[in-house]
Amino acid sequence: MLEDVARLLEEQPLCDRCLGRLYARLGRGWSNKDRGRALKMTVIMWLHRGAAEGSVEAKRRLKVVTANAGEMGRELYKHLYGEDPGEALCSICGSKLDKAIEELAGEAVKVLRLYDARRIVVGARVSQDILEAEDRVKAGHGLKYGESIKAEIRREVGKLLRDRHGYTIDFEEPDAMVIVSFPSLAVEIQNNSLLLRGRYWKRGRMISQAYWPTPTGPKYYSIEQAAWSLLQLTGGETIVLHAAGREDVDARMLGTGRPMILEVKNPRRRYISLKELEEAANRGAPGLVEFGLTGKASRRDVQFYKEEASGKSKIYKALVLLEEPIDLERLKAAVETLKSATISQWTPRRVLHRRRNLLRRRKVLDMDCTLLHSSLAECIIKTEGGLYVKELISGDGGRTSPSLSEILGVGATCIELDVLGVEAPDIELLEERGSI
Ligand SMILES: [Zn+2]
């Protein structure tokens, strides 16, 4: 190893870090700077001994090595040759790396503060000419125990941010990734969204889930718009709602509310109490849209909510207008027939323009109807996930069968629909995934 290091330092000047990095995986608990210094001291002492014992070869090598070793060789060089060797710049980093790590950490703190990011991960970009210079130094030396300059910068900047500035390094769910560049000293940030888990209630009709802009203004008021009141508190740019399924625009969401994750994009403040966040969310559309927040969510949960939602049972309240008056007994009999049937349902005509025409089979898990008037019924219906309730009542021109209308032999229309219950995505599964 001494021979290797002597040859490396004969070929070119290397700073402590860049030399140490070539042996980064040997020893433990030291910085590459420590490694570089130890190697330089040892190899200089080794050659110095050879020179002292009369080796001409050692004498010749010592002069080059001490000149290329920077500070570590300077005193001996001056002592032996009576002059200062001058500053030989590291052939990989131009002797800038050590100071750059400090400076990059300082710049990173400034940027991270702007985004209230405390759990972070560090990324590094290194210019092509430096990467190539590193390859040139390594070439022909068969060095097996080194690491890349990128890995060193990532780790060392991360260490400074952790130990000196109190940041937590979190590879799983960081608030932000800070990307530092060498040698330009540029610092960028990829700011992750703030994800809030909870439920929403929609107490009015003609409200969509997503913001729906048109040239003449939004098509409907939306749950997302109601949540915009969070933007002021968090300094975020926009809100995206990820819900476990959706109700029709004209249906209310009452009862249990609907499980959802609110995504605040590019927030400037994120360490805010849940209570404060919930209060802010509920200032958007008081009495019309309500939010209940239960905690922070992770990126993985978003997909999970969407996947899990479709299979979950739902409870509805439907107001049904009948084309002819009927008596309660006949209605109850029809309900019993529906409860024991499997419903075959082609994609409803009203959504065919945006969904594929598919046949689905679903069950009515429970149903109960009362007559408010001889031609007006109120039905509470529990269904398997994915059953279209309006069509269960109307039959959709024969595309849903059997239907309440078909069994009664009387035209029936759902004139008002409320969702009363949406089962939450399986909380135990979420716990297993370690995201609560
Ligand atoms: Zn260097």
Side-chain angles (χ1 to χ4, degrees):
M1 190 182 219
L2 287 179
E3 182 54 42
D4 281 345
V5 174
R7 283 217 329 264
L8 279 164
L9 285 172
E10 277 177 284
E11 285 169 16
Q12 67 260 301
L14 289 169
C15 72
D16 300 346
R17 275 191 187 278
C18 289
L19 176 63
R21 190 168 62 251
L22 301 172
Y23 299 90
R25 289 186 291 138
L26 299 177
R28 196 110 187 122
W30 310 322
S31 69
N32 287 336
K33 198 171 167 178
D34 294 337
R35 283 186 182 85
R37 291 169 65 86
L39 289 168
K40 284 178 179 179
M41 282 191 212
T42 313
V43 93
I44 287 168
M45 287 192 288
W46 176 58
L47 292 173
H48 194 185
R49 186 189 68 180
E53 289 172 3
S55 162
V56 178
E57 176 70 358
K59 228 178 213 171
R60 183 192 61 75
R61 297 181 84 187
L62 182 63
K63 189 167 186 186
V64 187
V65 167
T66 45
N68 282 344
E71 276 309 306
M72 300 300 294
R74 176 170 265 159
E75 283 310 310
L76 183 60
Y77 190 101
K78 282 202 283 199
H79 172 72
L80 292 177
Y81 312 110
E83 57 177 4
D84 191 292
E87 192 168 4
L89 295 178
C90 172
S91 65
I92 296 177
C93 74
S95 302
K96 289 180 189 154
L97 182 56
D98 200 39
K99 202 161 155 250
I101 284 169
E102 293 271 339
E103 286 175 10
L104 286 170
E107 287 304 307
V109 168
K110 285 185 206 160
V111 175
L112 288 168
R113 277 200 189 127
L114 290 178
Y115 291 89
D116 195 20
R118 302 181 196 175
R119 308 187 72 82
I120 58 158
V121 62
V122 180
R125 289 203 188 100
V126 175
S127 70
Q128 196 57 34
D129 53 329
I130 288 183
L131 295 176
E132 281 166 11
E134 186 169 49
D135 285 343
R136 272 199 303 278
V137 169
K138 284 179 182 170
H141 286 277
L143 297 160
K144 291 186 293 189
Y145 299 100
E147 66 172 348
S148 70
I149 186 165
K150 272 189 198 175
E152 173 163 25
I153 293 173
R154 270 200 302 269
R155 192 190 53 249
E156 293 300 316
V157 172
K159 260 194 217 164
L160 287 179
L161 290 174
R162 184 192 63 197
D163 300 340
R164 199 181 289 170
H165 301 284
Y167 288 91
T168 302
I169 305 297
D170 181 349
F171 295 102
E172 291 282 315
E173 289 282 338
D175 297 335
M177 180 181 204
V178 62
I179 301 154
V180 300
S181 296
F182 181 76
S184 74
L185 303 185
V187 174
E188 286 168 52
I189 189 163
Q190 280 173 13
N191 190 27
N192 292 333
S193 298
L194 174 62
L195 298 167
L196 302 167
R197 179 203 311 280
R199 286 174 181 259
Y200 76 79
W201 288 262
K202 186 172 117 184
R203 306 215 180 270
R205 302 187 190 280
M206 309 320 286
I207 299 172
S208 61
Q209 272 190 353
Y211 176 54
W212 192 335
T214 73
T216 53
K219 173 125 169 138
Y220 300 108
Y221 188 68
S222 59
I223 307 285
E224 283 181 351
Q225 270 173 289
W228 284 358
S229 52
L230 272 171
L231 296 178
Q232 202 181 1
L233 179 63
T234 58
E237 261 168 27
T238 182
I239 301 269
V240 180
L241 174 72
H242 306 279
R246 75 175 73 175
E247 64 284 339
D248 293 331
V249 164
D250 60 359
R252 293 187 296 183
M253 181 67 243
L254 308 173
T256 61
R258 186 177 292 276
M260 50 120 219
I261 292 170
L262 276 179
E263 175 175 9
V264 181
K265 294 211 170 202
N266 203 16
R268 297 298 185 116
R269 284 188 65 209
R270 52 173 83 238
Y271 288 87
I272 307 169
S273 77
L274 215 51
K275 187 165 167 283
E276 245 186 297
L277 287 162
E278 190 176 89
E279 280 170 7
N282 282 320
R283 275 198 289 274
L288 196 59
V289 177
E290 286 167 33
F291 296 96
L293 300 180
T294 53
K296 287 192 179 177
S298 72
R299 181 51 66 184
R300 289 177 307 179
D301 299 342
V302 172
Q303 194 52 38
F304 184 64
Y305 260 55
K306 288 182 173 172
E307 286 166 5
E308 279 283 295
S310 59
K312 296 291 174 182
S313 68
K314 314 283 188 316
I315 300 169
Y316 298 92
K317 184 172 83 177
L319 195 60
V320 179
L321 185 65
L322 300 152
E323 284 178 8
E324 293 167 21
I326 58 162
D327 58 43
L328 185 60
E329 220 170 293
R330 201 170 140 207
L331 181 60
K332 294 269 185 199
V335 165
E336 286 310 309
T337 309
L338 265 188
K339 273 162 68 176
S340 59
T342 298
I343 315 296
S344 296
Q345 190 161 55
W346 286 100
T347 303
R349 284 172 296 182
R350 65 187 165 91
V351 297
L352 259 184
H353 62 282
R354 58 188 163 89
R355 300 234 171 114
R356 278 202 300 151
N357 190 22
L358 291 174
L359 179 65
R360 50 176 77 184
R361 294 177 205 280
R362 295 286 190 281
K363 283 197 169 293
V364 175
L365 301 173
D366 202 2
M367 184 163 173
D368 190 28
C369 293
T370 52
L371 275 176
L372 303 178
H373 179 269
S374 60
S375 58
L376 190 65
E378 187 182 89
C379 298
I380 306 289
I381 311 164
K382 185 177 183 188
T383 72
E384 288 183 332
L387 181 73
Y388 291 100
V389 171
K390 287 175 179 170
E391 286 69 23
L392 175 72
I393 289 160
S394 71
D396 197 25
R399 295 173 64 84
T400 292
S401 180
S403 66
L404 186 64
S405 171
E406 184 187 339
I407 295 167
L408 284 172
V410 172
T413 313
C414 174
I415 56 171
E416 276 187 4
L417 188 65
D418 294 328
V419 187
L420 299 184
V422 179
E423 230 184 309
D426 202 325
I427 230 73
E428 280 165 18
L429 261 179
L430 276 175
E431 276 171 353
E432 270 173 33
R433 294 184 185 195
S435 53
I436 288 184

